[in-house]
């Protein structure tokens, strides 16, 4: 194999970019862990509530039409209430159950080999001309399995490109763009991220109006349409920008150690056919239960299936659990990766064992949001921020762009999507509700900013893993290599996806099921 060419000095513009990103990385590494960050935020909330509790504010609390008062969370009654509610606050934290229940079903599908086999089957039969868009699309589709795409699809992207005689780093970049850059896109299948973010949005909205109910699929139409935009961007940039740039980058990894695209075994093929049949039968039976006008899945008062309080909409997480558990179990028994029911339980246990960190973070996040809401500081910031925005006279389109840019900037320092939204959503959602902007639109703007910069933040938990995938093929690969690969995707996604959202808003195209663009107070 030819030796790698001597590295060409980076242009001044790229050296400046690397210095800027290095500064961001150093600053981000000094931040506490997200769990500790929520603890610090809660302590700061307590201190601020003590300082502001004696201040007389003229702002009217829309929840009771009385002058807003900040509650001192360090008072004896407030502290005892906080302690007595601690367990209930944690257990009732909306995103906690969403993630854990969804992961039980997804964990089985992943650990018995169903998800990996299905992805290999799809990509192995893809025509060469459609290789790039297929890799990006599969990356987007992998979101239904939460983070499985990072450890399954991205390395497979490199393997498939290398097997096709194309540069493997281009395959990794295309897969990374789909998995992480398109994290808020959905290929017609909801993921656990949808109800997770909706739960946080509803919690934030209740700081302004406790009657607000957020549909778990409130951004579903927008994120489904966004898939085509993400795939198109990934396709064009990979083939016309990324891969041509890699022509002089030699693949100098050890040939004996380079990963290969394993063909499906006969047992895996049998398992996939059986799993597909089981999914079709289950889906058909499920659709039949939806058809009757008296279906128990419908909202009793109106007969709607898509009403936010309809049992169907309330069961999204449970349906994700069932519709991955069924094919996972069928695949496992048919392919031989599952021998007894104990293997299924072991797969669930393995999935839960990986959620320990999330549970810790969720505990501190729940306590922070409780203290933030009870102190009324969130309501005060929302009202004052809304007044400042109203007085500034900024167009709503400019405000939406500001939310996208804020989300993208915070993303460079905090890797977890739910952690970021819990922090900034508690302020942005009620603040924009004061201006008549619906929580659905605010959440959609956040998702655009969050996804667009996922792929250029070294603080994203899987970023070092992607660097390792690159080093299998090009030994000199580092953080700068991956940043240079992904920066064109990030900038393009940020600009075009934001424009796409503004187009949805301007044309009045529904963002999702039960969504709206305007917020009208109860009784208003």
């Amino acid at each position: 194999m030819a030796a790698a060419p001597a590295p060409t000095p980076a242009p001044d513009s790229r050296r400046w970019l690397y210095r800027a990103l290095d500064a961001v990385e150093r600053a981000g590494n000094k931040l506490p862990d997200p769990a500790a960050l929520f603890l610090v935020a809660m302590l700061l909330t307590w201190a601020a509530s003590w300082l502001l509790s004696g201040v007389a504010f003229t702002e009217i609390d829309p929840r009771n039409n009385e002058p807003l008062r900040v509650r001192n969370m360090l008072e004896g009654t407030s502290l005892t209430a906080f302690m007595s509610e601690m367990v209930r606050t944690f257990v009732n934290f909306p995103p906690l159950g969403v993630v854990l229940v969804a992961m039980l079903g997804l964990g089985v599908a992943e650990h018995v080999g169903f998800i990996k086999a299905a992805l290999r089957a799809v990509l192995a039969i893809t025509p060469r001309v459609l290789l790039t868009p297929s890799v990006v699309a599969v990356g987007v589709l992998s979101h239904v399995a939460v983070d499985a795409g990072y450890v399954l699809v991205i390395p497979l992207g490199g393997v498939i490109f290398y097997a096709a005689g194309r540069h493997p780093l281009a395959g990794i970049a295309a897969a990374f763009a789909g998995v992480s850059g398109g994290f808020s896109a959905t290929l017609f299948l909801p993921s656990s991220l949808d109800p997770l973010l909706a739960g946080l949005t509803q919690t934030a909205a209740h700081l302004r109006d406790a009657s607000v109910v957020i549909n778990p699929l409130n951004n579903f139409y927008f994120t489904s349409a966004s898939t085509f935009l993400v795939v198109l961007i990934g396709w064009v940039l990979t083939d016309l920008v990324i891969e041509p740039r890699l022509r002089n980058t030699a693949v100098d990894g050890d040939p004996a150690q380079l990963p290969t695209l394993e063909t499906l075994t006969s047992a895996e093929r049998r398992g996939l056919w059986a799993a597909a049949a089981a999914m079709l039968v289950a889906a058909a039976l499920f659709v039949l239960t939806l058809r009757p006008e008296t279906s128990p899945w419908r909202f009793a008062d109106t007969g709607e299936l898509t009403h936010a309080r309809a049992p169907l909409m309330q069961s999204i997480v449970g349906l994700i659990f069932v519709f991955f558990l069924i094919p996972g179990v069928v695949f496992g028994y048919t392919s031989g990766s599952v021998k007894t029911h104990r293997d299924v339980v072991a797969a669930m246990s393995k999935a839960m064992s990986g959620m320990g960190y999330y549970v810790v973070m969720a505990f501190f996040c729940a306590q922070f949001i409780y203290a933030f809401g009870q102190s009324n500081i969130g309501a005060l910031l929302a009202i004052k921020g809304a007044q400042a925005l109203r007085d500034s006279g900024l167009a709503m389109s400019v405000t939406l762009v500001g939310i996208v840019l804020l989300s993208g900037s915070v993303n460079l320092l905090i890797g977890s999507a739910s952690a970021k939204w819990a922090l900034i959503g508690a302020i942005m959602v009620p603040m924009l509700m004061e201006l008549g902007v619906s929580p659905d639109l605010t959440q959609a703007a956040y998702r655009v900013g969050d996804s667009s910069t996922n792929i250029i933040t070294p603080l994203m938990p899987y970023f070092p893993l992607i660097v390792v995938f690159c080093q299998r093929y090009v030994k000199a690969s580092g953080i700068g290599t991956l940043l240079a690969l992904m920066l064109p995707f990030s900038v393009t996604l940020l600009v075009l996806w934001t424009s796409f959202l503004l187009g949805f808003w301007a044309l009045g195209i529904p963002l999702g099921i039960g969504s709206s663009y305007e917020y009208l107070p109860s009784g208003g």
Side-chain angles (χ1 to χ4, degrees):
M1 181 174 293
T8 303
D12 290 341
S13 59
R14 192 176 301 170
R15 287 202 296 268
W16 175 87
L17 173 65
Y18 285 176
R19 286 197 296 269
L21 290 171
D22 287 343
V24 169
E25 184 177 3
R26 287 193 297 270
N29 285 337
K30 292 179 181 179
L31 284 174
D33 185 270
L37 191 62
F38 284 118
L39 176 60
V40 171
M42 185 185 70
L43 296 176
L44 291 175
T45 298
W46 285 0
S49 71
W50 172 68
L51 291 171
L52 297 173
S53 59
V55 179
F57 295 100
T58 58
E59 286 77 13
I60 301 299
D61 190 334
R63 296 168 295 185
N64 54 26
N65 293 318
E66 297 179 359
L68 192 145
R69 175 182 174 273
V70 173
R71 180 183 179 187
N72 183 4
M73 295 302 293
L74 293 178
E75 285 181 343
T77 54
S78 298
L79 283 175
T80 54
F82 176 82
M83 295 299 295
S84 63
E85 292 291 325
M86 182 179 289
V87 174
R88 190 176 292 109
T89 298
F90 175 50
V91 173
N92 293 333
F93 186 52
L96 179 64
V98 166
V99 173
L100 296 183
V101 172
M103 280 305 298
L104 282 173
L106 291 166
V108 171
E110 179 180 352
H111 292 299
V112 302
F114 168 66
I115 291 178
K116 186 175 182 180
L119 292 176
R120 284 160 51 207
V122 170
L123 293 175
I125 61 175
T126 302
R128 180 183 175 88
V129 68
L130 297 178
L131 188 60
T132 301
S134 298
V135 167
V136 179
V138 169
V140 174
L141 182 63
S142 71
H143 300 152
V144 296
V146 195
D147 291 343
Y150 288 104
V151 295
L152 296 177
V153 178
I154 293 177
L156 277 177
V159 170
I160 291 171
F161 267 53
Y162 185 64
R166 301 178 61 179
H167 203 289
L169 294 195
I172 289 175
F176 195 14
V179 172
S180 196
F183 196 69
S184 283
T186 52
L187 197 60
F188 305 120
L189 291 175
S191 72
S192 60
L193 184 67
D194 294 307
L196 169 62
L197 292 183
L200 289 170
T201 301
Q202 179 167 297
T203 300
H206 285 181
L207 296 174
R208 166 64 175 81
D209 185 349
S211 67
V212 171
V213 177
I214 302 297
N215 192 297
L217 301 181
N218 64 330
N219 290 160
F220 184 64
Y221 300 150
F222 173 69
T223 55
S224 292
S226 296
T227 297
F228 299 97
L229 177 68
V230 172
V231 171
L232 180 61
I233 291 172
W235 188 358
V236 171
L237 289 179
T238 300
D239 288 0
L240 300 183
V241 178
I242 305 302
E243 196 159 21
R245 177 180 171 273
L246 291 169
R247 284 174 183 156
N248 295 326
T249 302
V251 177
D252 59 358
D254 183 355
Q257 299 299 321
L258 292 180
T260 58
L261 182 62
E262 300 174 1
T263 58
L264 291 172
T265 65
S266 58
E268 288 176 324
R269 284 194 291 270
R270 286 196 305 272
L272 284 176
W273 282 111
M279 287 186 72
L280 287 175
V281 171
L285 292 175
F286 178 64
V287 169
L288 289 177
T289 67
L290 299 177
R291 292 180 61 84
E293 294 184 0
T294 57
S295 170
W297 293 107
R298 299 178 181 272
F299 184 50
D301 294 349
T302 63
E304 294 176 89
L305 285 171
T306 58
H307 192 282
R309 291 192 176 91
L312 176 62
M313 292 296 101
Q314 299 292 320
S315 303
I316 294 297
V317 177
L319 292 172
I320 292 175
F321 165 73
V322 171
F323 277 93
F324 275 92
L325 179 65
I326 290 175
V329 170
V330 171
F331 174 88
Y333 276 108
T334 307
S335 67
S337 61
V338 168
K339 302 299 183 184
T340 70
H341 70 280
R342 290 183 174 82
D343 295 327
V344 176
V345 175
M348 290 184 176
S349 300
K350 189 173 181 179
M352 288 297 99
S353 67
M355 299 303 297
Y357 171 75
Y358 177 80
V359 172
V360 173
M361 187 186 73
F363 172 79
F364 289 104
C365 180
Q367 308 309 320
F368 157 68
I369 290 179
Y370 172 84
F372 195 64
Q374 290 295 311
S375 68
N376 280 334
I377 291 178
L380 177 65
L381 289 174
I383 294 172
K384 285 189 172 294
Q387 290 175 346
L389 281 174
R390 186 181 294 115
D391 294 341
S392 69
L394 292 175
M396 185 50 61
S397 58
V398 177
T399 301
L400 291 175
V401 172
I403 300 172
V404 172
L405 294 178
L406 173 65
S407 304
S409 300
V410 174
N411 199 28
L412 296 174
L413 299 175
I414 304 175
S416 168
S418 57
K420 286 189 298 289
W421 189 226
L423 282 171
I424 65 177
I427 297 174
M428 298 303 299
V429 169
M431 181 177 74
L432 290 172
M433 287 170 67
E434 291 292 328
L435 293 177
V437 179
S438 75
D440 307 308
L441 180 54
T442 305
Q443 178 184 295
Y446 162 76
R447 296 182 74 164
V448 170
D450 173 61
S451 287
S452 298
T453 55
N454 263 341
I455 47 182
I456 60 168
T457 170
L459 301 177
M460 193 267 290
Y462 291 99
F463 200 90
L465 178 64
I466 315 304
V467 173
V468 172
F469 292 152
C470 292
Q471 290 173 342
R472 292 178 180 176
Y473 301 97
V474 179
K475 295 178 181 178
S477 297
I479 289 177
T481 305
L482 190 53
L483 289 174
L485 283 175
M486 305 313 299
L487 187 60
F489 294 103
S490 182
V491 173
T492 306
L493 283 170
L494 196 62
V495 173
L496 296 185
W497 209 347
T498 301
S499 301
F500 194 61
L501 175 61
L502 292 176
F504 255 70
W505 169 68
L507 297 174
I509 303 172
L511 289 169
I513 298 174
S515 66
S516 64
Y517 285 101
E518 296 182 352
Y519 162 72
L520 296 176
S522 301

